[in-house]
Amino acid sequence: MDREAPYLRIAAEIRDRITRGELRPGDRVPSTRQITHKWGVAMATATKVIAVLRDEGVVEARPGAGTLVRAAGVAQPGPKPRSVELTRDRIVRAGITVADAEGLASVSMRRIATDLDVATMSLYRHVPGKEELLEFMADAAFAQRRFPATAPAGWRARLDLAAHLVWSVFRAHPWAAEIVSLTRPQVLPNLLFYAEWVLAALTDLGLDVDDMMHAHITLFGHVRGTALSLQAEVHAERDTGMTNEEWLESQDSGVVAMFTPDKFPMLSRIAEVGFDFDLDRVFEFGLQRVLDGLAARFEPGTSPGHPPAR
């Protein structure tokens, strides 16, 4: 009876594919999500598979690309580096590295401990638990973008700048949009600077607290809502091996056949003419319409039929 642990057996299968040349240096190996689907194992087991291959020097995690076959092939184990003091900052940076390369599903206290070559329980002296770790990671991501010392003139320019700053964070770290809640906002110090900036800008419109908060939530909701599609696209690209453009091209014939003019005249027209779907453009279009709406609602004389700013 085969008593080999499932994660070792799966790791061996992937290693064999690399040895046979089915997976070449620089190719992606199956993601943890793909491993769970193909082999029917839990996410924790899939994470251990990647950890084994990484410890053997067979693969390496690259932010934004996933886990790839090492360009130099299988590395020979060498002496372990000198022990470095474990700090919350090191733990958070390790979590960000994993999330950037493999997504939030791969982030766990066990995985971070493995990457840092420390005991899992030692992490809890610095981070209370996984939920807090994710919040620290999101806060650290927002710390990478700073507001300028001098704000641009006018409420619209200030809101535009704030929205683009947050979008740039989500662009660099798509997983952060999953952590930050719209309905149960966490107290993330570096995200509070965004809220303070937006609310200060909205005071130029003379809004009361209700209108100010609704405008703030609407703006942030647009940025975060669009950013959630960024992470979904990262997952889809890793699972299918195709970019969004490549996937859309592969669907063209089926879409055109489905959108017949008699049943779907508008969709048929769009499928025939073509539409260049780009999330950055979707974000920009929506952002400007949100700002147009605030101007029409609260700026005196901007749009007939709407009350002036209070």
mmCIF file of all heavy atoms in Angstrom, residues 245-293:
data_model
loop_
_atom_site.group_PDB
_atom_site.id
_atom_site.type_symbol
_atom_site.label_atom_id
_atom_site.label_comp_id
_atom_site.label_asym_id
_atom_site.label_seq_id
_atom_site.Cartn_x
_atom_site.Cartn_y
_atom_site.Cartn_z
ATOM 1 N N GLU A 245 -6.849 39.073 -23.344
ATOM 2 C CA GLU A 245 -6.971 39.258 -24.789
ATOM 3 C C GLU A 245 -6.974 37.920 -25.519
ATOM 4 O O GLU A 245 -7.770 37.700 -26.441
ATOM 5 C CB GLU A 245 -5.828 40.138 -25.304
ATOM 6 C CG GLU A 245 -5.880 41.591 -24.869
ATOM 7 C CD GLU A 245 -5.417 41.786 -23.432
ATOM 8 O OE1 GLU A 245 -4.852 40.813 -22.853
ATOM 9 O OE2 GLU A 245 -5.617 42.887 -22.880
ATOM 10 N N GLU A 246 -6.075 37.005 -25.104
ATOM 11 C CA GLU A 246 -6.007 35.687 -25.744
ATOM 12 C C GLU A 246 -7.295 34.894 -25.514
ATOM 13 O O GLU A 246 -7.792 34.214 -26.417
ATOM 14 C CB GLU A 246 -4.809 34.907 -25.202
ATOM 15 C CG GLU A 246 -3.467 35.489 -25.626
ATOM 16 C CD GLU A 246 -2.303 34.877 -24.870
ATOM 17 O OE1 GLU A 246 -2.521 34.316 -23.766
ATOM 18 O OE2 GLU A 246 -1.163 34.966 -25.371
ATOM 19 N N TRP A 247 -7.847 34.986 -24.297
ATOM 20 C CA TRP A 247 -9.086 34.260 -24.003
ATOM 21 C C TRP A 247 -10.238 34.810 -24.840
ATOM 22 O O TRP A 247 -11.031 34.045 -25.396
ATOM 23 C CB TRP A 247 -9.417 34.368 -22.521
ATOM 24 C CG TRP A 247 -10.638 33.587 -22.143
ATOM 25 C CD1 TRP A 247 -10.713 32.268 -21.827
ATOM 26 C CD2 TRP A 247 -11.989 34.087 -22.074
ATOM 27 N NE1 TRP A 247 -12.013 31.904 -21.562
ATOM 28 C CE2 TRP A 247 -12.814 32.995 -21.703
ATOM 29 C CE3 TRP A 247 -12.564 35.338 -22.284
ATOM 30 C CZ2 TRP A 247 -14.188 33.131 -21.546
ATOM 31 C CZ3 TRP A 247 -13.937 35.477 -22.132
ATOM 32 C CH2 TRP A 247 -14.736 34.380 -21.765
ATOM 33 N N LEU A 248 -10.340 36.159 -24.933
ATOM 34 C CA LEU A 248 -11.417 36.757 -25.716
ATOM 35 C C LEU A 248 -11.319 36.345 -27.172
ATOM 36 O O LEU A 248 -12.328 36.055 -27.821
ATOM 37 C CB LEU A 248 -11.365 38.286 -25.591
ATOM 38 C CG LEU A 248 -11.810 38.867 -24.250
ATOM 39 C CD1 LEU A 248 -11.543 40.366 -24.201
ATOM 40 C CD2 LEU A 248 -13.290 38.587 -23.998
ATOM 41 N N GLU A 249 -10.087 36.307 -27.700
ATOM 42 C CA GLU A 249 -9.902 35.891 -29.090
ATOM 43 C C GLU A 249 -10.337 34.441 -29.296
ATOM 44 O O GLU A 249 -10.910 34.086 -30.328
ATOM 45 C CB GLU A 249 -8.440 36.054 -29.492
ATOM 46 C CG GLU A 249 -8.010 37.510 -29.664
ATOM 47 C CD GLU A 249 -6.532 37.632 -29.985
ATOM 48 O OE1 GLU A 249 -5.866 36.579 -30.124
ATOM 49 O OE2 GLU A 249 -6.038 38.779 -30.088
ATOM 50 N N SER A 250 -10.079 33.600 -28.289
ATOM 51 C CA SER A 250 -10.459 32.188 -28.406
ATOM 52 C C SER A 250 -11.968 32.000 -28.375
ATOM 53 O O SER A 250 -12.483 30.967 -28.806
ATOM 54 C CB SER A 250 -9.816 31.371 -27.282
ATOM 55 O OG SER A 250 -10.450 31.628 -26.030
ATOM 56 N N GLN A 251 -12.682 32.995 -27.834
ATOM 57 C CA GLN A 251 -14.140 32.901 -27.725
ATOM 58 C C GLN A 251 -14.862 33.564 -28.885
ATOM 59 O O GLN A 251 -16.090 33.474 -28.986
ATOM 60 C CB GLN A 251 -14.609 33.557 -26.413
ATOM 61 C CG GLN A 251 -13.963 33.024 -25.155
ATOM 62 C CD GLN A 251 -14.259 31.564 -24.925
ATOM 63 O OE1 GLN A 251 -15.412 31.143 -24.941
ATOM 64 N NE2 GLN A 251 -13.211 30.778 -24.707
ATOM 65 N N ASP A 252 -14.128 34.247 -29.758
ATOM 66 C CA ASP A 252 -14.757 35.068 -30.794
ATOM 67 C C ASP A 252 -15.779 34.308 -31.630
ATOM 68 O O ASP A 252 -16.905 34.760 -31.829
ATOM 69 C CB ASP A 252 -13.694 35.670 -31.727
ATOM 70 C CG ASP A 252 -13.118 36.954 -31.162
ATOM 71 O OD1 ASP A 252 -13.669 37.438 -30.153
ATOM 72 O OD2 ASP A 252 -12.128 37.462 -31.716
ATOM 73 N N SER A 253 -15.395 33.150 -32.149
ATOM 74 C CA SER A 253 -16.292 32.423 -33.042
ATOM 75 C C SER A 253 -17.571 32.000 -32.328
ATOM 76 O O SER A 253 -18.674 32.113 -32.877
ATOM 77 C CB SER A 253 -15.581 31.197 -33.619
ATOM 78 O OG SER A 253 -15.137 30.333 -32.579
ATOM 79 N N GLY A 254 -17.438 31.526 -31.108
ATOM 80 C CA GLY A 254 -18.615 31.113 -30.355
ATOM 81 C C GLY A 254 -19.520 32.274 -30.013
ATOM 82 O O GLY A 254 -20.752 32.166 -30.069
ATOM 83 N N VAL A 255 -18.926 33.416 -29.673
ATOM 84 C CA VAL A 255 -19.711 34.596 -29.316
ATOM 85 C C VAL A 255 -20.477 35.106 -30.525
ATOM 86 O O VAL A 255 -21.677 35.425 -30.446
ATOM 87 C CB VAL A 255 -18.791 35.700 -28.761
ATOM 88 C CG1 VAL A 255 -19.543 37.021 -28.657
ATOM 89 C CG2 VAL A 255 -18.245 35.298 -27.397
ATOM 90 N N VAL A 256 -19.791 35.193 -31.660
ATOM 91 C CA VAL A 256 -20.447 35.682 -32.871
ATOM 92 C C VAL A 256 -21.613 34.775 -33.252
ATOM 93 O O VAL A 256 -22.686 35.236 -33.657
ATOM 94 C CB VAL A 256 -19.430 35.774 -34.036
ATOM 95 C CG1 VAL A 256 -20.155 36.080 -35.344
ATOM 96 C CG2 VAL A 256 -18.388 36.844 -33.747
ATOM 97 N N ALA A 257 -21.435 33.465 -33.094
ATOM 98 C CA ALA A 257 -22.501 32.518 -33.436
ATOM 99 C C ALA A 257 -23.689 32.649 -32.479
ATOM 100 O O ALA A 257 -24.847 32.474 -32.882
ATOM 101 C CB ALA A 257 -21.961 31.095 -33.406
ATOM 102 N N MET A 258 -23.418 32.953 -31.230
ATOM 103 C CA MET A 258 -24.483 33.055 -30.225
ATOM 104 C C MET A 258 -25.282 34.343 -30.369
ATOM 105 O O MET A 258 -26.509 34.357 -30.244
ATOM 106 C CB MET A 258 -23.872 32.986 -28.820
ATOM 107 C CG MET A 258 -24.901 33.039 -27.698
ATOM 108 S SD MET A 258 -24.105 33.057 -26.072
ATOM 109 C CE MET A 258 -23.227 31.496 -26.116
ATOM 110 N N PHE A 259 -24.595 35.444 -30.656
ATOM 111 C CA PHE A 259 -25.253 36.742 -30.717
ATOM 112 C C PHE A 259 -25.852 36.968 -32.113
ATOM 113 O O PHE A 259 -25.347 37.753 -32.915
ATOM 114 C CB PHE A 259 -24.270 37.865 -30.374
ATOM 115 C CG PHE A 259 -23.779 37.848 -28.954
ATOM 116 C CD1 PHE A 259 -22.629 38.519 -28.594
ATOM 117 C CD2 PHE A 259 -24.465 37.162 -27.971
ATOM 118 C CE1 PHE A 259 -22.166 38.520 -27.290
ATOM 119 C CE2 PHE A 259 -24.020 37.142 -26.657
ATOM 120 C CZ PHE A 259 -22.867 37.818 -26.316
ATOM 121 N N THR A 260 -26.926 36.257 -32.399
ATOM 122 C CA THR A 260 -27.574 36.413 -33.696
ATOM 123 C C THR A 260 -28.358 37.717 -33.730
ATOM 124 O O THR A 260 -28.974 38.109 -32.731
ATOM 125 C CB THR A 260 -28.521 35.238 -33.955
ATOM 126 O OG1 THR A 260 -29.460 35.136 -32.871
ATOM 127 C CG2 THR A 260 -27.735 33.933 -34.064
ATOM 128 N N PRO A 261 -28.381 38.424 -34.874
ATOM 129 C CA PRO A 261 -29.052 39.729 -34.972
ATOM 130 C C PRO A 261 -30.524 39.693 -34.617
ATOM 131 O O PRO A 261 -31.063 40.672 -34.103
ATOM 132 C CB PRO A 261 -28.832 40.112 -36.445
ATOM 133 C CG PRO A 261 -27.615 39.349 -36.864
ATOM 134 C CD PRO A 261 -27.683 38.058 -36.121
ATOM 135 N N ASP A 262 -31.196 38.564 -34.886
ATOM 136 C CA ASP A 262 -32.633 38.522 -34.608
ATOM 137 C C ASP A 262 -32.925 38.470 -33.117
ATOM 138 O O ASP A 262 -33.904 39.043 -32.644
ATOM 139 C CB ASP A 262 -33.280 37.317 -35.309
ATOM 140 C CG ASP A 262 -32.621 36.005 -34.914
ATOM 141 O OD1 ASP A 262 -31.410 36.023 -34.635
ATOM 142 O OD2 ASP A 262 -33.326 34.965 -34.872
ATOM 143 N N LYS A 263 -32.051 37.798 -32.345
ATOM 144 C CA LYS A 263 -32.281 37.692 -30.900
ATOM 145 C C LYS A 263 -31.544 38.781 -30.108
ATOM 146 O O LYS A 263 -32.069 39.303 -29.123
ATOM 147 C CB LYS A 263 -31.826 36.317 -30.399
ATOM 148 C CG LYS A 263 -32.695 35.163 -30.857
ATOM 149 C CD LYS A 263 -32.220 33.860 -30.231
ATOM 150 C CE LYS A 263 -33.094 32.691 -30.647
ATOM 151 N NZ LYS A 263 -32.620 31.411 -30.049
ATOM 152 N N PHE A 264 -30.325 39.076 -30.503
ATOM 153 C CA PHE A 264 -29.507 40.037 -29.759
ATOM 154 C C PHE A 264 -28.913 41.065 -30.730
ATOM 155 O O PHE A 264 -27.714 41.035 -31.025
ATOM 156 C CB PHE A 264 -28.373 39.327 -29.010
ATOM 157 C CG PHE A 264 -28.828 38.214 -28.099
ATOM 158 C CD1 PHE A 264 -28.667 36.890 -28.469
ATOM 159 C CD2 PHE A 264 -29.429 38.499 -26.877
ATOM 160 C CE1 PHE A 264 -29.082 35.863 -27.642
ATOM 161 C CE2 PHE A 264 -29.844 37.475 -26.040
ATOM 162 C CZ PHE A 264 -29.680 36.154 -26.421
ATOM 163 N N PRO A 265 -29.737 41.974 -31.232
ATOM 164 C CA PRO A 265 -29.246 42.915 -32.248
ATOM 165 C C PRO A 265 -28.107 43.806 -31.753
ATOM 166 O O PRO A 265 -27.145 44.050 -32.493
ATOM 167 C CB PRO A 265 -30.487 43.738 -32.610
ATOM 168 C CG PRO A 265 -31.428 43.538 -31.456
ATOM 169 C CD PRO A 265 -31.164 42.172 -30.948
ATOM 170 N N MET A 266 -28.182 44.279 -30.513
ATOM 171 C CA MET A 266 -27.136 45.168 -30.008
ATOM 172 C C MET A 266 -25.845 44.397 -29.737
ATOM 173 O O MET A 266 -24.746 44.834 -30.096
ATOM 174 C CB MET A 266 -27.600 45.875 -28.737
ATOM 175 C CG MET A 266 -28.731 46.866 -28.966
ATOM 176 S SD MET A 266 -28.341 48.072 -30.266
ATOM 177 C CE MET A 266 -26.847 48.823 -29.621
ATOM 178 N N LEU A 267 -25.964 43.242 -29.076
ATOM 179 C CA LEU A 267 -24.772 42.431 -28.806
ATOM 180 C C LEU A 267 -24.143 41.940 -30.100
ATOM 181 O O LEU A 267 -22.911 41.854 -30.215
ATOM 182 C CB LEU A 267 -25.136 41.249 -27.904
ATOM 183 C CG LEU A 267 -25.555 41.610 -26.471
ATOM 184 C CD1 LEU A 267 -26.019 40.367 -25.722
ATOM 185 C CD2 LEU A 267 -24.399 42.261 -25.731
ATOM 186 N N SER A 268 -24.979 41.626 -31.085
ATOM 187 C CA SER A 268 -24.465 41.191 -32.369
ATOM 188 C C SER A 268 -23.672 42.301 -33.042
ATOM 189 O O SER A 268 -22.598 42.060 -33.622
ATOM 190 C CB SER A 268 -25.629 40.778 -33.278
ATOM 191 O OG SER A 268 -25.168 40.461 -34.580
ATOM 192 N N ARG A 269 -24.169 43.520 -32.928
ATOM 193 C CA ARG A 269 -23.464 44.664 -33.529
ATOM 194 C C ARG A 269 -22.114 44.878 -32.856
ATOM 195 O O ARG A 269 -21.101 45.097 -33.525
ATOM 196 C CB ARG A 269 -24.325 45.915 -33.391
ATOM 197 C CG ARG A 269 -23.663 47.176 -33.925
ATOM 198 C CD ARG A 269 -24.496 48.394 -33.601
ATOM 199 N NE ARG A 269 -23.756 49.617 -33.906
ATOM 200 C CZ ARG A 269 -24.094 50.812 -33.427
ATOM 201 N NH1 ARG A 269 -25.142 50.935 -32.636
ATOM 202 N NH2 ARG A 269 -23.380 51.867 -33.740
ATOM 203 N N ILE A 270 -22.096 44.789 -31.524
ATOM 204 C CA ILE A 270 -20.841 44.991 -30.791
ATOM 205 C C ILE A 270 -19.846 43.885 -31.122
ATOM 206 O O ILE A 270 -18.658 44.135 -31.310
ATOM 207 C CB ILE A 270 -21.113 45.046 -29.278
ATOM 208 C CG1 ILE A 270 -21.904 46.313 -28.939
ATOM 209 C CG2 ILE A 270 -19.794 45.023 -28.485
ATOM 210 C CD1 ILE A 270 -22.410 46.367 -27.523
ATOM 211 N N ALA A 271 -20.332 42.640 -31.208
ATOM 212 C CA ALA A 271 -19.446 41.528 -31.539
ATOM 213 C C ALA A 271 -18.855 41.695 -32.926
ATOM 214 O O ALA A 271 -17.700 41.335 -33.180
ATOM 215 C CB ALA A 271 -20.211 40.209 -31.445
ATOM 216 N N GLU A 272 -19.647 42.256 -33.845
ATOM 217 C CA GLU A 272 -19.178 42.447 -35.218
ATOM 218 C C GLU A 272 -18.163 43.580 -35.310
ATOM 219 O O GLU A 272 -17.125 43.455 -35.963
ATOM 220 C CB GLU A 272 -20.369 42.736 -36.135
ATOM 221 C CG GLU A 272 -19.974 42.902 -37.596
ATOM 222 C CD GLU A 272 -21.178 43.162 -38.491
ATOM 223 O OE1 GLU A 272 -22.325 43.040 -38.004
ATOM 224 O OE2 GLU A 272 -20.971 43.504 -39.669
ATOM 225 N N VAL A 273 -18.479 44.686 -34.644
ATOM 226 C CA VAL A 273 -17.589 45.852 -34.693
ATOM 227 C C VAL A 273 -16.335 45.619 -33.858
ATOM 228 O O VAL A 273 -15.228 45.998 -34.239
ATOM 229 C CB VAL A 273 -18.331 47.121 -34.210
ATOM 230 C CG1 VAL A 273 -17.370 48.301 -34.110
ATOM 231 C CG2 VAL A 273 -19.491 47.442 -35.146
ATOM 232 N N GLY A 274 -16.529 44.976 -32.702
ATOM 233 C CA GLY A 274 -15.406 44.731 -31.791
ATOM 234 C C GLY A 274 -15.322 45.772 -30.701
ATOM 235 O O GLY A 274 -15.662 46.943 -30.913
ATOM 236 N N PHE A 275 -14.921 45.349 -29.526
ATOM 237 C CA PHE A 275 -14.767 46.264 -28.385
ATOM 238 C C PHE A 275 -13.489 45.916 -27.655
ATOM 239 O O PHE A 275 -13.272 44.763 -27.268
ATOM 240 C CB PHE A 275 -15.959 46.151 -27.431
ATOM 241 C CG PHE A 275 -15.782 46.918 -26.148
ATOM 242 C CD1 PHE A 275 -15.752 48.306 -26.141
ATOM 243 C CD2 PHE A 275 -15.624 46.248 -24.938
ATOM 244 C CE1 PHE A 275 -15.571 49.010 -24.962
ATOM 245 C CE2 PHE A 275 -15.442 46.948 -23.748
ATOM 246 C CZ PHE A 275 -15.425 48.332 -23.767
ATOM 247 N N ASP A 276 -12.632 46.899 -27.494
ATOM 248 C CA ASP A 276 -11.351 46.694 -26.821
ATOM 249 C C ASP A 276 -11.556 46.845 -25.314
ATOM 250 O O ASP A 276 -11.547 47.952 -24.789
ATOM 251 C CB ASP A 276 -10.325 47.717 -27.328
ATOM 252 C CG ASP A 276 -8.951 47.506 -26.710
ATOM 253 O OD1 ASP A 276 -8.727 46.427 -26.131
ATOM 254 O OD2 ASP A 276 -8.117 48.425 -26.793
ATOM 255 N N PHE A 277 -11.762 45.701 -24.646
ATOM 256 C CA PHE A 277 -12.021 45.738 -23.198
ATOM 257 C C PHE A 277 -10.716 45.968 -22.445
ATOM 258 O O PHE A 277 -9.773 45.190 -22.566
ATOM 259 C CB PHE A 277 -12.657 44.426 -22.749
ATOM 260 C CG PHE A 277 -13.003 44.409 -21.288
ATOM 261 C CD1 PHE A 277 -14.175 44.980 -20.837
ATOM 262 C CD2 PHE A 277 -12.146 43.833 -20.366
ATOM 263 C CE1 PHE A 277 -14.499 44.959 -19.488
ATOM 264 C CE2 PHE A 277 -12.451 43.820 -19.015
ATOM 265 C CZ PHE A 277 -13.638 44.392 -18.585
ATOM 266 N N ASP A 278 -10.677 47.030 -21.687
ATOM 267 C CA ASP A 278 -9.474 47.396 -20.933
ATOM 268 C C ASP A 278 -9.920 47.938 -19.579
ATOM 269 O O ASP A 278 -10.642 48.939 -19.516
ATOM 270 C CB ASP A 278 -8.689 48.459 -21.703
ATOM 271 C CG ASP A 278 -7.385 48.831 -21.014
ATOM 272 O OD1 ASP A 278 -7.441 49.417 -19.917
ATOM 273 O OD2 ASP A 278 -6.314 48.553 -21.588
ATOM 274 N N LEU A 279 -9.512 47.279 -18.504
ATOM 275 C CA LEU A 279 -9.972 47.674 -17.172
ATOM 276 C C LEU A 279 -9.510 49.067 -16.786
ATOM 277 O O LEU A 279 -10.211 49.781 -16.060
ATOM 278 C CB LEU A 279 -9.503 46.655 -16.125
ATOM 279 C CG LEU A 279 -10.454 45.491 -15.857
ATOM 280 C CD1 LEU A 279 -9.833 44.511 -14.891
ATOM 281 C CD2 LEU A 279 -11.798 45.984 -15.317
ATOM 282 N N ASP A 280 -8.336 49.486 -17.246
ATOM 283 C CA ASP A 280 -7.889 50.841 -16.943
ATOM 284 C C ASP A 280 -8.833 51.876 -17.567
ATOM 285 O O ASP A 280 -9.149 52.892 -16.951
ATOM 286 C CB ASP A 280 -6.460 51.067 -17.455
ATOM 287 C CG ASP A 280 -5.436 50.331 -16.617
ATOM 288 O OD1 ASP A 280 -5.368 50.598 -15.401
ATOM 289 O OD2 ASP A 280 -4.712 49.486 -17.158
ATOM 290 N N ARG A 281 -9.285 51.594 -18.772
ATOM 291 C CA ARG A 281 -10.219 52.508 -19.430
ATOM 292 C C ARG A 281 -11.589 52.464 -18.757
ATOM 293 O O ARG A 281 -12.265 53.489 -18.626
ATOM 294 C CB ARG A 281 -10.333 52.158 -20.908
ATOM 295 C CG ARG A 281 -9.052 52.413 -21.700
ATOM 296 C CD ARG A 281 -9.175 51.952 -23.139
ATOM 297 N NE ARG A 281 -10.214 52.685 -23.840
ATOM 298 C CZ ARG A 281 -10.639 52.368 -25.068
ATOM 299 N NH1 ARG A 281 -10.120 51.324 -25.695
ATOM 300 N NH2 ARG A 281 -11.578 53.082 -25.647
ATOM 301 N N VAL A 282 -12.006 51.275 -18.343
ATOM 302 C CA VAL A 282 -13.279 51.149 -17.614
ATOM 303 C C VAL A 282 -13.213 51.944 -16.318
ATOM 304 O O VAL A 282 -14.150 52.686 -15.957
ATOM 305 C CB VAL A 282 -13.589 49.667 -17.322
ATOM 306 C CG1 VAL A 282 -14.783 49.542 -16.365
ATOM 307 C CG2 VAL A 282 -13.871 48.914 -18.613
ATOM 308 N N PHE A 283 -12.089 51.813 -15.592
ATOM 309 C CA PHE A 283 -11.903 52.559 -14.353
ATOM 310 C C PHE A 283 -11.975 54.062 -14.618
ATOM 311 O O PHE A 283 -12.677 54.796 -13.909
ATOM 312 C CB PHE A 283 -10.560 52.209 -13.721
ATOM 313 C CG PHE A 283 -10.081 53.222 -12.718
ATOM 314 C CD1 PHE A 283 -10.678 53.323 -11.470
ATOM 315 C CD2 PHE A 283 -9.054 54.106 -13.035
ATOM 316 C CE1 PHE A 283 -10.256 54.274 -10.552
ATOM 317 C CE2 PHE A 283 -8.625 55.055 -12.126
ATOM 318 C CZ PHE A 283 -9.228 55.132 -10.885
ATOM 319 N N GLU A 284 -11.261 54.514 -15.629
ATOM 320 C CA GLU A 284 -11.205 55.954 -15.918
ATOM 321 C C GLU A 284 -12.566 56.489 -16.332
ATOM 322 O O GLU A 284 -12.981 57.557 -15.879
ATOM 323 C CB GLU A 284 -10.177 56.228 -17.022
ATOM 324 C CG GLU A 284 -9.871 57.700 -17.239
ATOM 325 C CD GLU A 284 -9.220 58.342 -16.016
ATOM 326 O OE1 GLU A 284 -8.422 57.666 -15.348
ATOM 327 O OE2 GLU A 284 -9.536 59.516 -15.723
ATOM 328 N N PHE A 285 -13.268 55.759 -17.179
ATOM 329 C CA PHE A 285 -14.600 56.187 -17.615
ATOM 330 C C PHE A 285 -15.543 56.311 -16.415
ATOM 331 O O PHE A 285 -16.232 57.322 -16.243
ATOM 332 C CB PHE A 285 -15.172 55.188 -18.620
ATOM 333 C CG PHE A 285 -16.536 55.562 -19.153
ATOM 334 C CD1 PHE A 285 -16.660 56.342 -20.283
ATOM 335 C CD2 PHE A 285 -17.693 55.130 -18.504
ATOM 336 C CE1 PHE A 285 -17.918 56.699 -20.769
ATOM 337 C CE2 PHE A 285 -18.944 55.484 -18.977
ATOM 338 C CZ PHE A 285 -19.066 56.269 -20.121
ATOM 339 N N GLY A 286 -15.568 55.282 -15.569
ATOM 340 C CA GLY A 286 -16.448 55.316 -14.405
ATOM 341 C C GLY A 286 -16.085 56.410 -13.429
ATOM 342 O O GLY A 286 -16.965 57.076 -12.860
ATOM 343 N N LEU A 287 -14.778 56.609 -13.210
ATOM 344 C CA LEU A 287 -14.334 57.645 -12.289
ATOM 345 C C LEU A 287 -14.815 59.017 -12.735
ATOM 346 O O LEU A 287 -15.353 59.795 -11.929
ATOM 347 C CB LEU A 287 -12.805 57.635 -12.190
ATOM 348 C CG LEU A 287 -12.167 58.818 -11.444
ATOM 349 C CD1 LEU A 287 -12.649 58.858 -9.993
ATOM 350 C CD2 LEU A 287 -10.649 58.732 -11.525
ATOM 351 N N GLN A 288 -14.629 59.313 -14.011
ATOM 352 C CA GLN A 288 -15.034 60.641 -14.497
ATOM 353 C C GLN A 288 -16.544 60.823 -14.422
ATOM 354 O O GLN A 288 -17.026 61.931 -14.168
ATOM 355 C CB GLN A 288 -14.526 60.862 -15.921
ATOM 356 C CG GLN A 288 -13.003 60.849 -16.039
ATOM 357 C CD GLN A 288 -12.318 61.767 -15.027
ATOM 358 O OE1 GLN A 288 -12.769 62.894 -14.775
ATOM 359 N NE2 GLN A 288 -11.235 61.269 -14.417
ATOM 360 N N ARG A 289 -17.312 59.751 -14.610
ATOM 361 C CA ARG A 289 -18.769 59.870 -14.506
ATOM 362 C C ARG A 289 -19.188 60.078 -13.041
ATOM 363 O O ARG A 289 -20.151 60.805 -12.773
ATOM 364 C CB ARG A 289 -19.450 58.624 -15.067
ATOM 365 C CG ARG A 289 -19.138 58.318 -16.526
ATOM 366 C CD ARG A 289 -19.564 59.394 -17.520
ATOM 367 N NE ARG A 289 -18.698 60.557 -17.539
ATOM 368 C CZ ARG A 289 -17.493 60.592 -18.141
ATOM 369 N NH1 ARG A 289 -16.997 59.506 -18.715
ATOM 370 N NH2 ARG A 289 -16.789 61.707 -18.146
ATOM 371 N N VAL A 290 -18.482 59.438 -12.105
ATOM 372 C CA VAL A 290 -18.772 59.688 -10.688
ATOM 373 C C VAL A 290 -18.509 61.149 -10.355
ATOM 374 O O VAL A 290 -19.322 61.824 -9.693
ATOM 375 C CB VAL A 290 -17.920 58.774 -9.781
ATOM 376 C CG1 VAL A 290 -18.038 59.208 -8.316
ATOM 377 C CG2 VAL A 290 -18.363 57.323 -9.917
ATOM 378 N N LEU A 291 -17.383 61.674 -10.818
ATOM 379 C CA LEU A 291 -17.054 63.073 -10.552
ATOM 380 C C LEU A 291 -18.022 64.017 -11.258
ATOM 381 O O LEU A 291 -18.398 65.058 -10.709
ATOM 382 C CB LEU A 291 -15.607 63.355 -10.984
ATOM 383 C CG LEU A 291 -14.532 62.543 -10.251
ATOM 384 C CD1 LEU A 291 -13.145 62.902 -10.778
ATOM 385 C CD2 LEU A 291 -14.595 62.766 -8.746
ATOM 386 N N ASP A 292 -18.439 63.663 -12.482
ATOM 387 C CA ASP A 292 -19.453 64.468 -13.187
ATOM 388 C C ASP A 292 -20.739 64.517 -12.364
ATOM 389 O O ASP A 292 -21.387 65.567 -12.249
ATOM 390 C CB ASP A 292 -19.771 63.851 -14.557
ATOM 391 C CG ASP A 292 -18.656 64.052 -15.567
ATOM 392 O OD1 ASP A 292 -17.772 64.893 -15.323
ATOM 393 O OD2 ASP A 292 -18.677 63.346 -16.600
ATOM 394 N N GLY A 293 -21.115 63.353 -11.812
ATOM 395 C CA GLY A 293 -22.346 63.291 -11.028
ATOM 396 C C GLY A 293 -22.282 64.150 -9.787
ATOM 397 O O GLY A 293 -23.256 64.833 -9.433
#
